Amino acid sequence: MSKQSPLQTMAADAGKRRLYSLTSIINFGLVTLIVAIFILAVTTYSKLKSFEDSLTLMTNESLPTVVHSGELYSQMSLLMSVTERLSSANSDAMRRIAYDAINQQLTSLDDVAMERNDNAYMLAQLRSIRRELADLNSLVEQKLTVNVLLNTQQDKLYTLHSNITENSSSNVASLANQPWYLAFTNIVARSSEVLTTEQLSLIRQQKRQITALLDELQAFSLQQSASKIDSASAISEQIRRIVLDESSGLIALRQSQLKIVGRVRGRGNFVRNLISDYARLNEFESHQLNESVLEAAFSTSRLVSQQVKHISVIFVFVFLAYVGFVLFIHHAVVRRLKTLRNQVQQRAAGNSREIALGGKDEIAELADSFEKFAATIEHQKASLEELSLRDALTAIANRRALDERYLQEIHVASRQRWPLTVMLLDVDFFKQYNDNYGHSQGDDCLKQVADLLKSQLPRKTDFLARYGGEEFAILLPNTNQSGAILVADSILNAFKEAQIPHDFSGVADHITISIGISVSQDVLGEHSIPSFEEADKSLYNAKRKGRNQWIMYDEDHIK
C-alpha cells in the first residue's frame, strides 16, 4: 500500500468532515446575479435601440479618423525614440540595429499614410524625413569608423610605451633618469590628454606642445647611447607618425572625431525637430477631429440620459440582490479570512498560538494548511539560521558566529577565572597574490589557509572563524601566554612546511602569515578581558616588523 503525502492526507480528512461548501453557495449566488444582469442588459438594449443610427454614424466616420491620427502620432514618437538611439550609437552593431528599427518605423508610417485621404502630402513629408535619417546614419557610420581608427592609434602608442618599458626592465633605475625616456613618457602623457580634450582650439595648442616635445626627443635620440635604448631615433620617428600624421595620426583623428560628433549632434537635432513638427501638426488635426467626436458624443449622451430613467427600477432590484450577496460574502468569508490573517500574523511574529478556525468548509481547511506550513517554515528557519553562521568560501565560522562565540567565551572565562586568548591572523601580501594569480586561485588559497589553521587546533573548545577578507580569528579558552605562543609557533611552522607558492611575497617564496595575540590576565585581583582591538594592534606591529611572526599585546606595551 503506497504512503500518502501530507497534503493528500489533509485533503482526505477535509473531505470527510466537510458539511457544506462555500464554493457551491458562492457559485449559486454568482449565477443568480449574472441572470439578473442579463435581464437588465436585455431591457437596456431594447430601450437604446432608438439611437443606434447616431452611434453608427459616429463610429463609421469620426472614430476611424481619430484612431488613424493617434496611431500616426504613436509611430512618430517611436521614430523619434529610435532616432535618439541612432545618434547615440557607440558601435556598428548598435547603429545597424537602430537604423533597421528606423526603416521598420518608416514602413509602418507609410502604411498608416496610405490609409489617409491626404496620403500624398504625408508621403512627401516621410520621404524628406527618410533622406535626413539616411544622412544621419552615414554621419554616425563615419563617426564609428574614426573611433575605431583612433582606438587603433591609441593602442599602438600604449604598446610602444609598454615595449620600451619591458625591454629596458633590467635597467629600470638608470632608464627612469634618462632625459630621452623622460621626454618619451611626457609625450605619451600629453598624447593621452588629447583623447579627453573636447575643444579643437585646445587640441591645436596641445599639438604645438607635442611637436616641440618630439623635436626635443629627436635631439635626445641623436645623443642616446645604444647600450641604453636601442633604435632611439627609430622610436622617435615612429611615435611622431602615430601622433602627428596628418591623415592617420592620433591628433588628426581626434580632431576629425570632434567635428563629426558635432555634425551628428546637429543633424540629429534637425531630424528630431522635423519629426516633432510633423507630429505636432498631426496632433493639431487630431485635436480638431476629437472636438467633433466629443460634440457628437454629447448629443448621444443626452439621448442615453432619457433612457436611463426607464431602467432605474430594474437597476434597483439588481442592486439590492447584489447587496444581499455582498453581506453574505462578508459574514461567511471576509470576516473569517480576517481572523485567519490575524492568527497568521501573530504566528509570524513569534506567537506559538495554533492557527485554527471553526467550521467545516474550505476556509477551515485553509487554516489547517497554514498551521502545517507554519510548522514547516519554523523548522526551515532554524536550519537557515545555522547555515548563516558559516562562511560560504572556507566552510568555517563567519564574523557573526565569531561575535556570538566571543561573548560566550568572555562570560565563561570570567566565571571560571581562567585565561582566554584572542588571535587575529592575516595572510601576508595577499593582495599581490590575488593580483598575480587571479581571484579564483586566491579563493583556493584561502581554503588551504583555513584547513591549515584548523589542523593546528586539536581541542574541540578552540574556535576558528573568518574575520574578513584574508583575516582569520582564533579563540583559545583556558589558554595562557605560554600556550598561545605554542599555538602561534605551531601555525607559523605549519605554513612553512606547507610551502604554498607565493612568488610575489615580500618575505618568502611561499604563503606566510602574521599573528596578533591578546591574552586575558589577572592584575591585582581584576580579570582583564582580551579584545580584538588589542589583537589588531599586535597584528599591525607584527606586519610593521616584517611579517611572518607573532606579536603579543603585552610585548607592545613593554616596547
Side-chain angles (χ1 to χ4, degrees):
M1 182 176 180
S2 61
K3 185 178 179 180
Q4 290 184 329
S5 66
L7 291 177
Q8 291 174 335
T9 303
M10 182 177 63
D13 294 341
K16 292 178 182 178
R17 66 171 181 267
R18 184 187 300 168
L19 297 181
Y20 59 89
S21 172
L22 283 176
T23 303
S24 299
I25 297 173
I26 293 174
N27 287 339
F28 175 77
L30 288 175
V31 170
T32 304
L33 184 61
I34 290 172
V35 171
I37 293 174
F38 176 76
I39 295 173
L40 178 63
V42 171
T43 304
T44 303
Y45 174 78
S46 63
K47 297 295 182 181
L48 298 179
K49 184 66 176 175
S50 58
F51 59 87
E52 181 181 4
D53 294 339
S54 61
L55 290 177
T56 302
L57 179 63
M58 183 177 64
T59 302
N60 292 337
E61 295 184 3
S62 301
L63 289 180
T65 305
V66 174
V67 171
H68 286 160
S69 298
E71 184 178 357
L72 181 61
Y73 184 79
S74 176
Q75 294 289 345
M76 296 299 288
S77 298
L78 291 175
L79 179 60
M80 186 173 295
S81 176
V82 293
T83 301
E84 291 282 355
R85 288 165 48 193
L86 176 63
S87 298
S88 59
N90 54 14
S91 68
D92 195 59
M94 293 178 62
R95 179 193 64 80
R96 289 196 302 270
I97 292 172
Y99 194 58
D100 289 342
I102 286 175
N103 287 328
Q104 293 177 3
Q105 289 301 124
L106 290 173
T107 302
S108 299
L109 286 170
D110 288 339
D111 296 338
V112 175
M114 293 298 296
E115 298 175 2
R116 296 282 298 270
N117 295 329
D118 55 343
N119 56 351
Y121 170 74
M122 293 183 62
L123 290 175
Q125 292 293 323
L126 290 177
R127 283 194 295 269
S128 176
I129 293 175
R130 190 187 296 272
R131 287 194 301 271
E132 294 297 332
L133 287 171
D135 293 341
L136 177 61
N137 178 62
S138 177
L139 284 175
V140 173
E141 186 175 7
Q142 294 178 27
K143 181 189 73 172
L144 296 177
T145 301
V146 172
N147 288 347
V148 171
L149 295 175
L150 187 62
N151 291 334
T152 300
Q153 293 300 94
Q154 183 181 0
D155 292 339
K156 288 181 180 180
L157 179 64
Y158 292 157
T159 301
L160 179 62
H161 179 267
S162 177
N163 290 339
I164 292 175
T165 303
E166 291 177 0
N167 293 337
S168 304
S169 60
S170 61
N171 196 19
V172 173
S174 60
L175 177 63
N177 295 322
Q178 292 182 20
W180 186 93
Y181 183 75
L182 294 176
F184 174 79
T185 304
N186 193 12
I187 291 172
V188 174
R190 292 296 182 90
S191 300
S192 299
E193 292 177 0
V194 172
L195 299 177
T196 60
T197 302
E198 301 293 336
Q199 297 182 13
L200 291 174
S201 59
L202 293 179
I203 292 179
R204 288 191 289 268
Q205 181 179 355
Q206 291 171 336
K207 181 180 180 180
R208 290 192 294 269
Q209 295 174 355
I210 293 174
T211 301
L213 289 173
L214 284 169
D215 294 338
E216 181 181 351
L217 182 67
Q218 184 64 34
F220 287 145
S221 299
L222 298 176
Q223 304 171 5
Q224 185 62 48
S225 173
S227 63
K228 293 181 179 179
I229 301 177
D230 297 333
S231 304
S233 297
I235 293 172
S236 300
E237 185 61 29
Q238 183 178 359
I239 193 173
R240 182 183 294 274
R241 288 194 304 271
I242 292 173
V243 178
L244 295 181
D245 189 86
E246 293 298 330
S247 60
S248 62
L250 188 144
I251 293 178
L253 290 174
R254 177 57 177 169
Q255 290 174 330
S256 298
Q257 183 188 47
L258 290 179
K259 293 177 181 177
I260 294 176
V261 166
R263 293 175 63 192
V264 168
R265 188 179 295 113
R267 182 59 60 90
N269 290 334
F270 174 74
V271 173
R272 284 192 293 271
N273 290 333
L274 187 62
I275 296 173
S276 178
D277 291 341
Y278 184 69
R280 282 195 294 268
L281 177 60
N282 178 77
E283 185 180 11
F284 175 73
E285 295 177 354
S286 176
H287 177 71
Q288 290 181 324
L289 291 173
N290 284 335
E291 288 183 349
S292 63
V293 171
L294 289 175
E295 183 178 356
F298 180 72
S299 300
T300 304
S301 67
R302 286 198 302 268
L303 183 59
V304 171
S305 63
Q306 296 175 2
Q307 302 297 332
V308 167
K309 297 178 182 179
H310 299 285
I311 62 174
S312 298
V313 176
I314 301 175
F315 175 78
V316 170
F317 172 77
V318 174
F319 177 76
L320 291 176
Y322 173 76
V323 170
F325 183 70
V326 168
L327 290 176
F328 170 77
I329 293 295
H330 177 77
H331 176 77
V333 179
V334 176
R335 189 173 62 180
R336 298 178 66 206
L337 287 177
K338 287 183 178 179
T339 303
L340 177 60
R341 180 200 62 187
N342 294 334
Q343 292 183 2
V344 171
Q345 289 178 345
Q346 291 176 3
R347 186 64 175 270
N351 193 335
S352 59
R353 180 182 176 183
E354 181 181 359
I355 301 175
L357 284 178
K360 304 295 182 180
D361 55 16
E362 292 87 348
I363 297 180
E365 294 176 8
L366 183 61
D368 293 339
S369 300
F370 272 121
E371 172 60 27
K372 293 183 179 181
F373 289 148
T376 302
I377 290 173
E378 289 172 355
H379 175 72
Q380 293 175 346
K381 180 181 177 181
S383 300
L384 289 174
E385 186 173 356
E386 181 180 354
L387 291 175
S388 68
L389 299 176
R390 289 286 171 188
D391 179 61
L393 177 63
T394 59
I396 62 176
N398 59 16
R399 181 67 177 271
R400 177 183 174 186
L402 174 66
D403 294 339
E404 295 180 1
R405 185 63 174 267
Y406 175 66
L407 294 177
Q408 295 175 6
E409 295 297 344
I410 286 178
H411 292 313
V412 173
S414 300
R415 184 172 62 252
Q416 299 294 335
R417 306 293 295 180
W418 66 30
L420 172 65
T421 295
V422 173
M423 288 186 178
L424 274 183
L425 308 93
D426 185 83
V427 180
D428 296 329
F429 296 101
F430 187 72
K431 182 181 184 302
Q432 288 79 355
Y433 190 95
N434 254 346
D435 292 342
N436 291 277
Y437 291 98
H439 291 281
S440 176
Q441 191 70 20
D443 291 344
D444 293 338
C445 176
L446 291 178
K447 294 177 183 178
Q448 297 181 60
V449 170
D451 293 338
L452 276 176
L453 294 176
K454 284 192 293 187
S455 67
Q456 302 306 311
L457 303 175
R459 298 188 306 178
K460 293 184 178 180
T461 56
D462 296 339
F463 186 79
L464 171 66
R466 187 177 179 188
Y467 196 71
E470 66 271 21
E471 290 188 328
F472 296 83
I474 295 177
L475 298 178
L476 301 176
N478 197 15
T479 303
N480 55 20
Q481 289 188 0
S482 59
I485 293 173
L486 289 175
V487 174
D489 288 337
S490 174
I491 291 173
L492 294 178
N493 291 330
F495 277 89
K496 183 178 180 181
E497 294 174 0
Q499 289 292 310
I500 302 173
H502 188 355
D503 295 333
F504 304 95
S505 173
V507 295
D509 59 355
H510 60 273
I511 289 293
T512 59
I513 199 163
S514 300
I515 307 173
I517 307 173
S518 174
V519 182
S520 61
Q521 298 180 11
D522 287 327
V523 180
L524 300 178
E526 295 292 333
H527 186 75
S528 65
I529 298 176
S531 66
F532 289 104
E533 289 78 8
E534 295 176 353
D536 186 62
K537 292 179 181 178
S538 299
L539 175 61
Y540 174 78
N541 200 15
K543 286 185 169 294
R544 186 172 58 83
K545 291 184 177 182
R547 295 181 171 85
N548 193 22
Q549 59 181 291
W550 57 263
I551 294 293
M552 188 75 65
Y553 181 71
D554 289 342
E555 292 181 1
D556 289 346
H557 279 283
I558 292 173
K559 294 181 179 182

